[in-house]
Each structure stands twice: as C-alpha cells, then as structure tokens.
Amino acid sequence: MIIVPERAIAGLISAEQAFAAVEAVFASMAKGDAYNFPVIREALGEGRQYGFKSGLDRAGSNLGVKAGGYFPGNADRGITNHQSTVYLFDPDTGRPTAMVGGNLLTALRTAAASAVSIDRLARKDSKVLGMVGAGHQAGFQLRAAAKTRKFERVVAWNYHPDMLPTLGKVAEELGLPFKGVSLEELGAEADVIITITSSPAASLMDAHVRPGTHLACMGTDTIGKQEVEPSLLARATVFTDEVAQSITLGEAQHAIGSGLIKAADITTIGEVINGTHPGRTSDDEITLFDGTGVGLQDLAVAKAAVDLAVAKGIAIEVEV
Ligand code: NAD
C-alpha cells in the first residue's frame, strides 16, 4: 500500500494534471463507466461535520472513498478546519492500495471542475473573469480558470469586502489586473463568472448577467446554500457534474424546488466532453455549470497523485 501524505501533495500534482484527471472521470461518468455511491454525512456535534464520498470508476480502474469533514475548533490548534483523506482500493480484489492526504487535493479537484466547464462551455473570446467569493477556494478557482482562456482582467465581488485583497494578490501573481466591483458591474463586464461562496441566499441576480456569459456555480454543495437567483437557471443552459446531486443539494435545488426547471433540463458536463451534447451553441447563450463536487473527482486526483509519487520516487510503501 502506498501512502502519500498531505505534506507531499503540494509540488506533486499540478493544476493541469488535476484538470486532466477530473475531465477524464467526468467523461467516464457520462459513459456509465463510473458512478458515485450514496454520500454519507453526519453531524458530530459542536459544529463538527463528518462524511464519506465514494465511488467506482471501471474505466480508470479506481475504487475508493474520501473520508473527511469540517472541524471548527481546528484553527485554534493551528490546523485547517477542513480535514480529509482519500483511501483507494484495487477494484478487482478490494485490497487497499493507497492512503492519500485529501485537503489540498479537494481544493485542486474543485478548481479543476470549474476550469473544465470554462474550457468546454465559455465563449472562446472570453476576456473578463468575474469572481463572486474570495475565501479559501477562490484563489484555486482563479488559478485554474486562468489557464483556460486568455483572460485580460479580473473583476470581483465579495460579501466581506476585506477578503478581496487576498484574491487580488493571486490575480497579480497571474499578471491579471484586478478590481473589486459591485455585482451589477461584475455581471455587465464579465464573460465568465465563478461563484464560490457559502452563501445561504442568492447574491448574483438574473438581471446582473448578460447574454453569452458562462457561469461556474461552485459554492452550493449542501441543502440550503444558494448563490444565484433561480430564474437565471431557467434562462441558462444548465450543466452539472452529477444530475442527482445538482437537483438535491447543488445550485439547481432552488430552481427545481420552485418548478422553474426539471431534472431533464440539466446535462452532465461529461456528455459535452464525450461529444454527445454540443455544449454552447451560440454566442448569446448563457451556460451555467452547477459544480456540486463528487467523490469520483477526489478518487481521480488521488490516483493521479499516487502515480506521480511513485514515478518521482517519493511514495511511502507499507505492507498491509
Ligand atoms: P470560505 O469559508 O473560505 O469562504 C466563504 C466565502 O463565502 C467567502 O467569500 C465569504 O465572504 C462568502 N460568504 C460567507 N457568507 C456569505 C453570505 N451570507 N453571502 C455571500 N457570501 C458569503 O469557504 P471556501 O473554502 O472558499 O468554500 C466556499 C464554498 O465552496 C463553501 O460553500 C464550500 O462548501 C464550497 N465548496 C464546494 C466544493 C464543490 O466541489 N462544489 C468544494 C469545496 C468547497
């Protein structure tokens, strides 16, 4: 069994390698070669959350589970509140093959998902990237998105404006001019918008968004979270990682709940990758990717990390 500890992940797997792994597993899901098992999520008390995301990818020969959660007391102990570990197994024998630190991988696979959606669905001439959110994930989403189009600048809005300078530094590192703006300005200027907040109510409204925009809505991964006005989903062509999650705990839960769209209106991004759905069909179309986050993404990047660790000679091997 191979161990790749959390400390080894940084510098091991690039945004490009995470992108390739996530894109491939989205394609496998749409072909029916890979599927996610039901998610388990438990409240442990005192705000602690723990859960398991798991799945099987026959095409990628990958079976496993990400175990992890949110431990709000960790910050006081000097460790990150979100903790996760990925365990991989041989799909033929069930024997454990790897244990991989999952914290940074979670950030990378989430950023890869919005980047895949931009790559496949945004207008080729997209120049302005709009960011709604400026927390831990936002920088990762921005870095991955910057590789997909020749963006010339970034406009950003955050509910807590004092968090914007940290995101601004990421844009600066990427050589992209950065400006904090109102949501009205953001919608009027951006060709691509990434939403990555833990908001309980819509921030971005339908009227803010102009024709031709691509949105990657990444923050809503739980019942009760919401980032955009539901009527925007009715106006857009909606894509997702997994329809079952999109309609229950993703951004689409609200448009579905109010009867504005139905599950059949939502297409998996894997179908676009596989060429069985055309994706964007005009420059005026609004495309919206509801990125809910599935276990197979975690398994895909963990397997890539294991392969890279073995190739670089830094994998720790133990007998089990
Ligand atoms: P974070 O706590 O670091 O940042 C939270 C962000 O939400 C900040 O920008 C904050 O200003 C904003 N926010 C908080 N309250 C708000 C409100 N009432 N209205 C509008 N904005 C508000 O969190 P993070 O790690 O950056 O994650 C952001 C979101 O993405 C979370 O909801 C998280 O669960 C989700 N997430 C999704 C996936 C996925 O695969 N889809 C993966 C990881 C994280």
Side-chain angles (χ1 to χ4, degrees):
M1 175 176 169
I2 302 288
I3 298 175
V4 187
E6 185 65 43
R7 65 171 187 277
I9 302 294
L12 181 63
I13 176 164
S14 65
E16 285 89 350
Q17 285 157 333
F19 181 106
V22 167
E23 185 175 57
V25 84
F26 283 163
S28 292
M29 284 165 62
K31 285 183 193 147
D33 290 336
Y35 68 105
N36 295 287
F37 305 159
V39 175
I40 292 172
R41 209 184 259 259
E42 289 290 325
L44 305 184
E46 289 120 26
R48 292 167 301 159
Q49 300 281 335
Y50 198 62
F52 306 94
K53 284 188 164 185
S54 52
L56 168 66
D57 178 5
R58 287 191 196 88
S61 191
N62 206 3
L63 171 71
V65 57
K66 178 170 87 167
Y70 182 71
F71 298 82
N74 282 6
D76 297 338
R77 300 182 178 111
I79 48 178
T80 173
N81 287 348
H82 288 276
Q83 289 292 330
S84 62
T85 308
V86 182
Y87 300 88
L88 300 179
F89 302 87
D90 180 333
D92 294 324
T93 64
R95 285 189 44 87
T97 54
M99 183 175 104
V100 188
N103 296 351
L104 179 56
L105 284 182
T106 300
L108 291 171
R109 64 78 146 150
T110 305
S114 56
V116 167
S117 85
I118 297 166
D119 185 49
R120 294 285 172 172
L121 296 169
R123 290 188 342 264
K124 296 280 181 228
D125 63 352
S126 297
K127 295 207 166 23
V128 181
L129 175 62
M131 295 293 304
V132 175
H136 173 73
Q137 261 306 133
F140 289 94
Q141 308 300 133
L142 173 51
R143 280 182 203 284
K147 294 180 191 297
T148 61
R149 289 288 182 275
K150 290 194 170 96
F151 290 113
E152 293 176 355
R153 59 195 175 92
V154 178
V155 289
W157 176 89
N158 196 45
Y159 185 72
H160 303 102
D162 54 307
M163 293 168 81
L164 282 173
T166 308
L167 187 61
K169 284 202 186 91
V170 176
E172 196 183 313
E173 273 175 41
L174 296 165
L176 292 169
F178 179 89
K179 196 167 130 204
V181 295
S182 67
L183 283 165
E184 287 78 6
E185 287 170 294
L186 186 141
E189 294 181 25
D191 302 303
V192 172
I193 299 174
I194 299 175
T195 61
I196 183 72
T197 71
S198 52
S199 177
S203 306
L204 191 70
M205 296 296 157
D206 191 3
H208 292 148
V209 178
R210 58 182 180 152
T213 304
H214 172 67
L215 298 106
C217 298
M218 304 302 298
T220 300
D221 56 358
T222 310
I223 292 168
K225 287 186 190 170
Q226 184 177 17
E227 299 193 288
V228 306
E229 192 176 14
S231 55
L232 180 56
L233 280 86
R235 189 155 68 107
T237 310
V238 182
F239 300 86
T240 189
D241 39 26
E242 188 189 82
V243 174
Q245 283 207 156
S246 172
I247 62 173
T248 51
L249 52 80
E251 192 60 42
Q253 65 182 284
H254 307 287
I256 290 276
S258 50
L260 288 168
I261 63 168
K262 0 181 240 317
D265 298 325
I266 306 175
T267 305
T268 63
I269 189 76
E271 290 169 73
V272 182
I273 297 165
N274 292 336
T276 54
H277 186 285
R280 168 179 294 278
T281 52
S282 84
D283 281 352
D284 283 344
E285 187 176 2
I286 295 174
T287 50
L288 186 149
F289 174 68
D290 183 5
T292 65
V294 294
L296 282 168
Q297 281 170 259
D298 298 299
L299 307 189
V301 289
K303 186 154 196 269
V306 170
D307 292 345
L308 287 161
V310 170
K312 290 185 180 177
I314 60 158
I316 302 164
E317 201 163 350
V318 293
E319 284 299 321
V320 287

